[in-house]
Amino acid sequence: MDNQEDPTPVESNPSSSEPNSVPILVPVATSSTNSNTESEGNPASRSNKRKISQIWDHFKKLDGNVKSPRAACMYCGKDYACHTILNGTSNMWSHLVVCKKFLFGVI
């Protein structure tokens, strides 16, 4: 026989005045150790995936210095800093709003 502990705790009824009272079973929610595995396709496991901006549909990363990466507009070729921590993608979104070749469809 296994020496595993029963997951349902047993409590006595302290308000009962009878010395031989029946124990009350209290349901306890148990957590599974495999609840967030990626093989199950659980939506919680997808939240750990890094989100990728849609700006990368319009910009291409340039090969160059790893410490200060640059990205070029696919329409006009203008390049911008795109360091994930220092710059982000806001400057590229701002450029896309004013890029004449993007706005007028000239490629």
Side-chain angles (χ1 to χ4, degrees):
M1 184 170 175
D2 292 337
N3 289 337
Q4 291 181 341
E5 196 174 31
D6 187 9
T8 309
V10 177
E11 290 184 7
S12 62
N13 189 351
S15 63
S16 175
S17 61
E18 297 178 8
N20 294 331
S21 64
V22 178
I24 298 173
L25 297 177
V26 179
V28 176
T30 58
S31 64
S32 173
T33 57
N34 276 345
S35 64
N36 288 336
T37 59
E38 289 186 33
S39 63
E40 293 176 3
N42 203 353
S45 65
R46 284 187 250 149
S47 65
N48 294 337
K49 186 175 180 182
R50 186 176 196 174
K51 293 176 178 49
I52 298 174
S53 176
Q54 290 181 350
I55 196 67
W56 296 111
D57 294 338
H58 308 283
F59 280 80
K60 182 177 181 179
K61 279 196 173 184
L62 300 174
D63 293 330
N65 190 354
V66 178
K67 291 184 179 181
S68 59
R70 310 277 299 171
C73 176
M74 289 183 184
Y75 307 105
C76 69
K78 191 165 183 180
D79 67 327
Y80 289 90
C82 64
H83 192 278
T84 55
I85 296 171
L86 300 176
N87 307 108
T89 58
S90 297
N91 58 350
M92 292 183 276
W93 282 112
S94 297
H95 166 74
L96 208 56
V97 172
V98 297
C99 180
K100 291 182 170 104
K101 291 186 178 180
F102 172 71
L103 294 174
F104 299 115
V106 179
I107 295 178

